[in-house]
Structure formats: C-alpha cells, structure tokens
Amino acid sequence: MEKTFSIIKPNAVSKNVVGKVISCFEEKGLRVAAIKMVHLSREKTEGFYIEHKDRPFFASLVQFMTSGPVFLMCLEGEGAVARNREIMGATDPAKADAGTVRKLFGEGIEANAVHGSDSSQSAERELAYFFEKSEIHSRF
Ligand code: ADP
Ligand code: MG
C-alpha cells in the first residue's frame, strides 16, 4: 500500500468536475485519505514547484495555479504513485490516452486538470508540504 499526493487544479474546480475527477480515482482503486480546498499563495506554489523554477513556463504555471481554489488530496492504494499517474494520463492532454483525467478534463498542457507525484520520494515531500500527519486518515 502506498500514498501519493494529488491536486485538482483551478481549471477543473472552475468547471465543476471535482466529483467526476475523484470518481476516476475511486473507480480505479484509489481512496481519498485526506482532502482540503485552498486558494494557494504565490509563495507556497513557488515552493511546491521549485524543481521547475528555471523552466520557461514557471511564472505562467504559478499564475495559473493561484488563479482560483484547488483541492489538495492524499490518495492511497496499491502502487498509488504509478496508478495515479496512469489514471491522470500524459502531461499534455492532447497526448493523453482516452479516458484519462487529463484527456477528459484538461484544457492544455498547463491547465491539465490534475497534479500527481512522480515518485514515492516526491509523494512524501509533497504530502508533508501540505498536510500534517494527523490530517491523513489512512485505512491501511
Ligand atoms: P507532470 O504534472 O505531468 O508531472 P511536469 O512535472 O513536467 O508534468 O510539469 C508540471 C506542470 O507544469 C504540468 O502539470 C503543467 O501544468 C505545467 N507544464 C509542464 N510543461 C509545460 C509546458 N511546456 N508549458 C506550460 N506548462 C507546462
Ligand atoms: Mg511533475
């Protein structure tokens, strides 16, 4: 059993598909172990995406991620990190497989509906960045 970190990004929240996105995770074997709705600050978002700080899209990405509220989640299940990435689909919705969250709800490579940790180390860092241990309700 494994935990991963997920964000439902501002474009999906504003489209009112939060329930549909969560259903994609639940139907494919993941369980919500923590969830909160927040409007991220610029500072918090820059720290979260620090690995991308030198990329040309960094400023625009931070602008997008702070443009409206998001849902921060801990998802858990068997092989949760990799399973979540499969359910999400490719970074660019145009290249994502049919039925993935990004294909269904992404607007473009930036407004791609969801974030998911890319490794168990990232998951640990990202969960600790947003959640207290007491806020995560593991069933395993
Ligand atoms: P992923 O979210 O699939 O792990 P990355 O870690 O490479 O992808 O990028 C982080 C986020 O930055 C993406 O989810 C997307 O919102 C944005 N992003 C990535 N590449 C681009 C790009 N070329 N142009 C604009 N935004 C991008
Ligand atoms: Mg990434």
Side-chain angles (χ1 to χ4, degrees), residues 49 51-52 85 115-116 118:
Y49 279 125
E51 63 172 323
H52 295 309
R85 298 284 303 194
H115 166 83
D118 62 6

Side-chain angles (χ1 to χ4, degrees), residues 9 49 51-52 55-57 60-61 64-65 85 88-92 102 108-112 114-118:
K9 294 186 177 184
Y49 279 125
E51 63 172 323
H52 295 309
R55 305 284 282 277
F57 58 80
S60 175
L61 174 62
F64 163 61
M65 290 298 290
R85 298 284 303 194
M88 287 163 54
T91 306
D92 183 354
R102 283 168 162 173
I109 193 164
E110 180 176 84
N112 58 2
V114 279
H115 166 83
S117 309
D118 62 6

Side-chain angles (χ1 to χ4, degrees), residues 77-129:
E78 206 174 308
V81 171
R83 182 162 300 185
N84 182 38
R85 298 284 303 194
E86 280 169 27
I87 298 167
M88 287 163 54
T91 306
D92 183 354
K95 297 181 181 146
D97 289 342
T100 60
V101 173
R102 283 168 162 173
K103 176 62 92 185
L104 287 166
F105 305 117
E107 255 74 60
I109 193 164
E110 180 176 84
N112 58 2
V114 279
H115 166 83
S117 309
D118 62 6
S119 67
S120 55
Q121 293 92 311
S122 302
E124 220 168 282
R125 177 186 86 83
E126 293 172 1
L127 285 169
Y129 190 73

Side-chain angles (χ1 to χ4, degrees), residues 6 13-14 16 18 32 40 59 64-65 68 73 88 90 93 99 101-102 106 108 124 137:
S6 169
V13 176
S14 92
N16 201 24
V18 171
V32 178
L40 293 170
F64 163 61
M65 290 298 290
M73 297 188 288
M88 287 163 54
V101 173
R102 283 168 162 173
E124 220 168 282
H137 304 277

